[in-house]
Amino acid sequence: MEVVPLEYPEEFKNWKNLFRPCASLRLFLPTLLPDENAIIYMDSDVILLRPLEEFWGFFAQMDDQQAAAGVSFVPGYNKRPQV
């Protein structure tokens, strides 16, 4: 695992005044890390209950046309329509 410091792309430097980096830099990860073929982005409040390598293994089953996302539902907190 490697931690890479990131900066806004030159044409988006003004975003630093509009948004916090933690909220917006993730939008540029494919541009900022062009040599990576997969990236796991997690908010700082995420707690893993299993090894990260196990989670990463799910990506080995995907092709370049797929994406994955995960959310948790907490009654009274999340704002999502009920079906």
Side-chain angles (χ1 to χ4, degrees), residues 22-44:
C22 60
S24 56
L25 272 174
R26 62 183 147 185
L27 301 174
F28 302 105
L29 290 177
T31 302
L32 297 170
L33 303 169
D35 297 331
E36 301 299 327
N37 62 4
I39 300 167
I40 295 177
Y41 172 87
M42 288 188 270
D43 285 335
S44 61

Side-chain angles (χ1 to χ4, degrees), residues 7-82:
E7 292 288 330
Y8 287 98
E10 195 59 42
E11 63 271 23
F12 293 98
K13 290 280 187 193
N14 64 325
W15 281 39
K16 188 180 266 188
N17 301 322
L18 301 172
F19 306 101
R20 293 188 179 270
C22 60
S24 56
L25 272 174
R26 62 183 147 185
L27 301 174
F28 302 105
L29 290 177
T31 302
L32 297 170
L33 303 169
D35 297 331
E36 301 299 327
N37 62 4
I39 300 167
I40 295 177
Y41 172 87
M42 288 188 270
D43 285 335
S44 61
D45 60 351
V46 171
I47 298 172
L48 295 173
L49 300 176
R50 312 265 320 230
L52 183 60
E53 293 81 7
E54 185 176 320
F55 179 66
W56 188 257
F58 288 110
F59 287 102
Q61 302 171 32
M62 299 172 70
D63 64 30
D64 62 353
Q65 299 299 308
Q66 296 173 302
V71 298
S72 62
F73 176 68
V74 179
Y77 178 78
N78 297 82
K79 306 291 188 245
R80 71 176 176 99
Q82 299 298 312

